[in-house]
Amino acid sequence: MSATLRNWQGFPAILAFVTLLVLPVALVDGLPVFVAGLGVEMILVLLLLLFALFAATRTDAAPAGDLALAVGALAAAALTIRYLPGAELAMTEAARSAAAAGRSTMLARIAIVPGLWALALLAWLLAWQLVSRLAVARGPNSSAHFLLGIAVPLIFGLSLLFLWEILARGFGVPFVLLPPPSAIGAKIAASLPILLADFRQTFLKAVLAGYAIGCLSGFLVALAADRVASLKRGLLPIGNLVSALPIIGIAPIMVMWFGFDWQSKAAVVAVMTFFPMLVNTLAGLTASDAMQRDLMQTYAATHRQALFKLRLPAALPFIFNALKINSTLAMIGAIVAEFFGTPVVGMGFRISTEVGRLNIDMVWAEIAVAALAGSLFYGIVTLIERLATFWHPSFRQS
């Protein structure tokens, strides 16, 4: 028993088993929403979930347990989503009756269909256990380490979207406050041309141009400041001052200087990304060991030779840290800058406009596209970093 609990990490195992035990009773007892669906399908699903729970406790078949957990979580989530529309109607009527009687509408929603909440809880617990097992099942030198690095956050993110969907619709959260992911996905599918035009204006033009200008200029100025001590001492305080300027103060000025099109947004992005690259590059250029620098002097290496053969390679992890930080700052800066003047296209323009119209699903659709673009941008930079700094100890140990 103790080995089973250690494998299940205790708390989620106990909750999952208790949920599975009370699930058939909750589905049958006084729940007209689920009674119509009881039959061979429900029996098969319950057997599948029981098999998933049993297989997950096996310490001698980790891949089979992982697969069983994944199938069980998908089955529980699919069944929950299937019965959710009917449960919404029952919960809405219960909430109205509770409000008329002066009782808590939230408690009424929870009490009317406990089977729905039991299924949702079971799906989340199985996904939680799957993520926990995948995170520790294989050593860092495994050939599947890269795939696990993608699978773990993907499963975790999908479980959060599932909870968001169930809680938003189950508790009847007003659409204007928090639309469910299904509504956001439907809006994305119905507004692809608009979203594509906004993505092209904001990301492909303003973000990429400003990111390239800011990072390149920060890198070149860092090389010059490393060579000239007076420039380094005078530039860092000024750079710190510029980095502390708020975006809402820079953006209107850049709009007056460079116009309403993407050039002014690229200028804001360049200002935001300049200082992180400058500071990280300067820190990286001093990261080499004193013995290594003494060795280069022993070889009578010139400044350029020491720079390209020792100091720049040692600074690459710092430079890529700045590139990764700037990949997210660039998206934020471009979107916020579009609030202060832009053509009738762009993510920031769309968000500010649709908020005024209370089209919250469109606002969330733009947010989702921006988050996806920023995450992919960050991932691409991380992949390039891994290819360029494979020799670094942090990658050799992973």
Side-chain angles (χ1 to χ4, degrees), residues 76-141:
L79 196 63
T80 305
I81 296 297
R82 174 176 178 180
Y83 287 108
L84 185 57
E88 280 184 291
L89 297 177
M91 287 187 289
T92 301
E93 293 298 328
R96 290 175 180 173
S97 301
R103 293 182 283 108
S104 172
T105 58
M106 181 177 295
L107 292 179
R109 282 183 171 272
I110 296 175
I112 190 63
V113 280
L116 177 74
W117 304 112
L119 271 175
L121 178 61
L122 184 58
W124 178 71
L125 288 171
L126 290 172
W128 178 9
Q129 182 59 25
L130 177 61
V131 171
S132 300
R133 287 168 60 96
L134 291 179
V136 299
R138 297 163 182 84
N141 294 323

Side-chain angles (χ1 to χ4, degrees), residues 10 12 21 24 35 62 64 91 101 124 216 258 265 271 288 319 351 359 389:
L21 289 176
V35 169
M91 287 187 289
W124 178 71
L216 181 60
F258 299 101
K265 287 69 186 174
V271 172
S288 57
I319 295 173
I351 290 173
N359 292 333
T389 60

Side-chain angles (χ1 to χ4, degrees), residues 35-232:
V35 169
L38 291 175
V40 178
E41 177 190 71
M42 182 64 69
I43 294 174
L44 290 177
V45 170
L46 291 179
L47 289 176
L48 180 60
L49 296 179
L50 181 61
F51 166 72
L53 292 172
F54 173 76
T57 62
R58 304 281 296 182
T59 58
D60 56 345
D66 296 342
L67 180 61
L69 277 173
V71 175
L74 286 175
L79 196 63
T80 305
I81 296 297
R82 174 176 178 180
Y83 287 108
L84 185 57
E88 280 184 291
L89 297 177
M91 287 187 289
T92 301
E93 293 298 328
R96 290 175 180 173
S97 301
R103 293 182 283 108
S104 172
T105 58
M106 181 177 295
L107 292 179
R109 282 183 171 272
I110 296 175
I112 190 63
V113 280
L116 177 74
W117 304 112
L119 271 175
L121 178 61
L122 184 58
W124 178 71
L125 288 171
L126 290 172
W128 178 9
Q129 182 59 25
L130 177 61
V131 171
S132 300
R133 287 168 60 96
L134 291 179
V136 299
R138 297 163 182 84
N141 294 323
S142 172
S143 59
H145 179 69
F146 178 74
L147 294 178
L148 286 176
I150 298 176
V152 171
L154 179 62
I155 297 172
F156 186 80
L158 290 176
S159 65
L160 290 182
L161 289 178
F162 171 75
L163 285 180
W164 179 359
E165 180 78 19
I166 298 300
L167 294 177
R169 296 174 60 179
F171 287 109
V173 179
F175 192 84
V176 71
L177 295 181
L178 185 65
S182 58
I184 299 173
K187 190 64 177 180
I188 292 176
S191 307
L192 283 179
I194 297 176
L195 294 173
L196 182 60
D198 293 339
F199 171 79
R200 185 184 301 112
Q201 173 72 16
T202 301
F203 186 82
L204 296 183
K205 293 182 179 179
V207 171
L208 292 184
Y211 180 83
I213 294 172
C215 292
L216 181 60
S217 59
F219 176 76
L220 295 177
V221 172
L223 293 181
D226 177 73
R227 183 65 171 171
V228 182
S230 59
L231 181 61
K232 181 178 180 179

Side-chain angles (χ1 to χ4, degrees), residues 278-302:
L278 172 64
V279 172
N280 278 273
T281 303
L282 286 175
L285 290 174
T286 60
S288 57
D289 295 336
M291 292 184 61
Q292 294 173 334
R293 294 193 295 269
D294 291 341
L295 181 62
M296 296 298 292
Q297 292 180 357
T298 303
Y299 291 154
T302 63

Side-chain angles (χ1 to χ4, degrees), residues 192-362:
L192 283 179
I194 297 176
L195 294 173
L196 182 60
D198 293 339
F199 171 79
R200 185 184 301 112
Q201 173 72 16
T202 301
F203 186 82
L204 296 183
K205 293 182 179 179
V207 171
L208 292 184
Y211 180 83
I213 294 172
C215 292
L216 181 60
S217 59
F219 176 76
L220 295 177
V221 172
L223 293 181
D226 177 73
R227 183 65 171 171
V228 182
S230 59
L231 181 61
K232 181 178 180 179
R233 292 179 178 272
L235 190 61
L236 281 180
I238 297 176
N240 188 18
L241 175 65
V242 173
S243 66
L245 295 178
I247 305 176
I248 58 175
I250 299 175
I253 297 175
M254 294 301 173
V255 169
M256 290 187 293
W257 286 2
F258 299 101
F260 287 91
D261 209 347
W262 61 268
Q263 291 86 352
S264 58
K265 287 69 186 174
V268 173
V269 173
V271 172
M272 292 185 63
T273 56
F274 172 82
F275 187 69
M277 175 59 71
L278 172 64
V279 172
N280 278 273
T281 303
L282 286 175
L285 290 174
T286 60
S288 57
D289 295 336
M291 292 184 61
Q292 294 173 334
R293 294 193 295 269
D294 291 341
L295 181 62
M296 296 298 292
Q297 292 180 357
T298 303
Y299 291 154
T302 63
H303 175 79
R304 178 177 297 181
Q305 290 174 331
L307 178 66
F308 286 98
K309 294 183 181 296
L310 173 62
R311 303 179 67 202
L312 273 182
L316 282 180
F318 294 84
I319 295 173
F320 276 105
N321 279 339
L323 291 174
K324 290 187 290 185
I325 293 172
N326 287 339
S327 66
T328 55
L329 285 178
M331 178 64 73
I332 296 173
I335 292 177
V336 174
E338 289 181 344
F339 290 172
F340 299 93
T342 184
V344 289
V345 65
M347 293 182 178
F349 165 79
R350 197 72 55 193
I351 290 173
S352 61
T353 303
E354 299 301 332
V355 164
R357 298 174 180 174
L358 294 182
N359 292 333
I360 305 301
D361 52 349
M362 188 63 182

